[in-house]
Amino acid sequence: MEFLASDQIAIVDLASGEVETEEFSDELCQEKIGGAGINLALYNQHADGDPIVLGAGLFTGSMVPGSCLGVVTAKSPLTGQVAHAPLTQYLGMELKYSGFDYIVIKNAAAAPTMLWVHDGILDVEEAGGLAGLDVWAAVDQVRADKGDDLIQVLGTGPAAASSDLACLMNNYWPSGDRFGLGHALAAKNLKLVAIRGLGLLEIADDEEFVDQCVALQGEVKGGVWAGKKGLLDLAKGMGQDALADWLAPLVHRHRANFNTPFAANSFLFLQGDPSALPEPEEAEMGVLLTDLGAAALFQQMGLELGDAGAILKQCAKLGLDAGLAAKVCLDGGKTDAAAISGALEGLSGPVEGLSGPFSPATPKTAVFGVDQAGDDAWWTRRQAVAHIFGLDPLFVLLAPELSEAKLVELAGIGTELEFSQEGLDAVIAEVCG
Amino acid sequence: MGVKIDPLKCTACMACELACGYHRDDAFALLSSCIVVYRTRDKKDYFGVILKEEEDLVIARPEGLEVKRIGAVEEGGGGGDASAKPMLLREACDLCEDRDDGPLCKQVCPVDAVYLD
Ligand code: SF4
Ligand code: SF4
């Protein structure tokens, strides 16, 4: 693949420590397009190694609005089914620029291991020194060891070894994984994957592609999300005003995922003045909320916001999915902060009601009054589109301008390959299972 | 007249950085951009944007916009978190002089945080 790609697929066998690379062929892209489509094809091809597949979408890291998404495809310890977990913030983009489009991780290592992915090189390294660290300490340690604070880390925490509620972590914060894939990574003795992307993506017809992206950016700007920012507005846009009011006193600023117009992450200050803007002296000020799931449950339980924030931070360091942990606690009758906090270490599933290939971290209810929101089939199809093309899974719900026809057209302009609606329909059907 | 950034509107999305990289390389890449989001201080929620001009660095910090003479900034450094390629080694902003529509970073910023002043 000459365009919108690095042209390399890595196959890592953790049992032997060997890494093979394959060319990312035009044929594979044309047939499966990208992201979850290709992840799934690689998963099936290497199924005997119980693979975990990391991939970027066709447009990840490009100028198509919302182009942040990376995808992890693996069998969920919680559902027993193959799931596609979303990697937002900067992680998908970093993978795309790392020199690898897809990474297949097979089998299990005998000792704690990490992968170091950069400049088209993939090193399998021992990670004994990281094994006992919490998520935040491990991220800091890897960045210090490699001398680069912009390394993006797909990691796990201490919870991953024993709990099926352990999620994939995106640096210090939870990813959108609701499938317990942190536990799946730990089962392979893989502590983390450190990624740095300094590459370059060629574009087949660059002027036309960029002109169309700029025009699209102009169109989406007038969308339902315009003038709104962060999880407070998102909560209000879902009719959850009480949740927004509960969160508001500690919210500091809102952050977007890579090249994504609507900023869907909000930071809770757990110390200091949330309205203060200068750089704080303290190294840690609080916790980034990347979705509303856990917060909504804690509010429902009647927790104080500060206590809920402390639990979210504890979960982030343990690498525990706070939303699932909150649900298990609620179902088990633990609804006060001390009981929840005390139960986190050692907490595990099962979790009722989890199903499907896409993460419920992206809300299924109508947001900002979008017409078709709340329709399960529509939601699933839009998630498939997001996970194939590498687009923010929330933003695709808010931006009908990112239509399937437009994305198919852009795919052709960007790659010089031929794509069709029928081909996209077939890949959508596959990734939806 | 130059590019300025409203740090309180900015959401650290990096669309401007990507656009500037394209303006330099005719491909998608981030190493050549002269407008860069600094984003490594996640645990403090402290982020902003830094821009290199011919003679100045324009630094959009949450607490306000600051313009620093390049001679007054440490050699090879220049702030921000552009660890792979320090700001001072990057080309200066040329206001996208080859584009009829003007600065590409301004055009793609989804929240109108980039403006000309
Ligand atoms: S495009 Fe706008 S919002 Fe995004 S990082 Fe640049 S200035 Fe900030
Ligand atoms: S005006 Fe052009 S050269 Fe200057 S920062 Fe923006 S994109 Fe880069």
Side-chain angles (χ1 to χ4, degrees):
Chain A
M1 268 292 286
E2 192 179 348
F3 301 114
L4 298 182
S6 303
D7 198 26
Q8 269 203 113
I9 297 172
I11 319 292
V12 183
D13 186 340
L14 288 174
S16 65
E18 286 178 8
V19 180
E20 287 174 18
T21 55
E22 290 175 1
E23 185 189 335
F24 173 25
S25 70
D26 288 358
E27 292 71 27
L28 181 59
C29 181
Q30 206 151 18
E31 191 186 344
K32 306 294 183 187
I33 304 177
I38 292 179
N39 275 12
L40 186 61
L42 292 168
Y43 178 92
N44 290 333
Q45 189 184 333
H46 297 279
D48 57 352
D50 185 24
I52 295 175
V53 186
L54 278 51
L58 186 60
F59 295 143
T60 308
S62 78
M63 272 175 73
V64 177
S67 63
C68 68
L69 198 68
V71 184
V72 179
T73 299
K75 191 193 236 184
S76 163
L78 285 166
T79 67
Q81 304 296 314
V82 174
H84 307 291
L87 302 177
T88 57
Q89 299 173 59
Y90 305 120
L91 195 44
M93 172 275 289
E94 205 77 36
L95 173 62
K96 184 85 173 200
Y97 285 103
S98 71
F100 294 93
D101 301 295
Y102 298 90
I103 301 172
V104 180
I105 304 166
K106 298 196 302 184
N107 301 320
T113 298
M114 63 170 273
L115 304 184
W116 170 217
V117 186
H118 62 106
D119 304 306
I121 299 166
L122 195 158
D123 297 318
V124 181
E125 299 185 355
E126 70 87 26
L130 300 173
L133 299 183
D134 72 37
V135 171
W136 293 20
V139 172
D140 290 341
Q141 187 66 52
V142 167
R143 288 176 170 175
D145 288 349
K146 305 295 181 195
D148 189 338
D149 283 345
L150 286 172
I151 287 170
Q152 301 298 300
V153 180
L154 175 65
T156 60
S162 58
S163 176
D164 51 8
L165 304 182
C167 60
L168 296 172
M169 299 297 292
N170 188 339
N171 298 324
Y172 308 106
W173 319 119
S175 71
D177 169 28
R178 288 291 174 281
F179 302 108
L181 298 188
H183 189 48
L185 219 65
K188 294 187 172 302
N189 236 333
L190 186 59
K191 173 71 177 171
L192 56 84
V193 182
I195 304 173
R196 185 69 173 108
L198 298 172
L200 179 146
L201 305 172
E202 300 279 2
I203 314 145
D205 184 346
D206 67 291
E207 286 187 14
E208 180 64 17
F209 189 86
V210 167
D211 281 353
Q212 293 227 14
C213 288
V214 170
L216 203 46
Q217 182 73 271
E219 286 174 37
V220 301
K221 241 174 158 171
V224 292
W225 65 274
K228 302 180 177 74
K229 235 188 203 183
L231 291 179
L232 300 186
D233 282 345
L234 189 71
K236 285 183 195 155
M238 293 162 62
Q240 297 186 34
D241 289 37
L243 176 58
D245 293 344
W246 181 72
L247 286 169
L250 295 188
V251 168
H252 185 236
R253 297 180 73 193
H254 310 291
R255 303 184 65 148
N257 298 324
F258 177 80
N259 192 31
T260 300
F262 178 72
N265 308 299
S266 297
F267 198 93
L268 286 187
F269 255 33
L270 300 179
Q271 57 183 331
D273 174 6
S275 65
L277 292 171
E279 183 172 1
E281 297 283 326
E282 297 84 352
E284 298 174 5
M285 293 305 292
V287 67
L288 187 74
L289 282 186
T290 54
D291 71 78
L292 286 166
L297 287 176
F298 290 143
Q299 185 233 355
Q300 194 184 316
M301 292 176 194
L303 264 58
E304 295 290 330
L305 178 57
D307 292 340
I311 293 170
L312 289 167
K313 183 173 170 181
Q314 192 184 350
C315 287
K317 290 196 171 191
L318 286 169
L320 198 64
D321 186 322
L324 296 184
K327 185 167 186 334
V328 169
C329 286
L330 183 62
D331 291 349
K334 289 191 183 68
T335 56
D336 73 87
I340 295 167
S341 176
L344 290 180
E345 287 189 39
L347 198 68
S348 57
V351 181
E352 296 296 313
L354 269 182
S355 63
F358 301 115
S359 171
T362 304
K364 290 189 176 182
T365 47
V367 182
F368 303 139
V370 174
D371 280 354
Q372 288 161 294
D375 171 340
D376 205 45
W378 175 81
W379 180 91
T380 302
R381 189 170 177 98
R382 289 303 277 168
Q383 291 309 291
V385 167
H387 286 71
I388 291 166
F389 287 106
L391 303 175
D392 186 286
L394 172 63
F395 194 66
V396 295
L397 302 183
L398 308 181
E401 298 83 2
L402 296 171
S403 67
E404 292 176 19
K406 173 54 81 180
L407 297 173
V408 166
E409 183 191 357
L410 279 171
I413 296 168
T415 63
E416 257 176 4
L417 301 177
E418 279 184 27
F419 296 94
S420 65
Q421 182 65 53
E422 294 69 34
L424 176 58
D425 289 343
V427 180
I428 289 173
E430 283 173 10
V431 300
C432 290
Chain B
M1 189 173 69
V3 167
K4 298 285 183 297
I5 304 102
D6 181 337
L8 294 186
K9 282 188 178 173
C10 176
T11 59
C13 77
M14 294 179 70
C16 52
E17 190 172 337
L18 181 67
C20 192
Y22 171 73
H23 166 62
R24 299 289 178 198
D25 291 330
D26 294 333
F28 295 135
L30 301 167
L31 266 189
S32 312
S33 314
C34 59
I35 186 167
V36 170
V37 176
Y38 57 93
R39 56 189 170 94
T40 62
R41 290 163 242 185
D42 322 29
K43 287 185 288 183
K44 300 177 173 194
D45 197 30
Y46 189 77
F47 59 88
V49 177
I50 186 163
L51 168 86
K52 187 190 175 193
E53 296 182 328
E54 285 293 348
E55 298 187 346
D56 298 318
L57 283 179
V58 177
I59 305 168
R61 294 199 171 94
E63 56 267 49
L65 197 68
E66 189 184 355
V67 180
K68 276 189 181 172
R69 272 324 226 204
I70 282 181
V73 177
E74 260 177 59
E75 190 57 39
D81 302 314
S83 57
K85 188 171 177 185
M87 287 308 291
L88 296 190
L89 300 182
R90 297 179 183 228
E91 302 238 353
C93 173
D94 62 8
L95 289 170
C96 291
E97 58 189 2
D98 60 342
R99 293 190 80 244
D100 293 340
D101 294 331
L104 190 55
C105 55
K106 177 176 181 294
Q107 228 178 342
V108 300
C109 177
V111 292
D112 296 329
V114 179
Y115 59 98
L116 293 175
D117 189 29

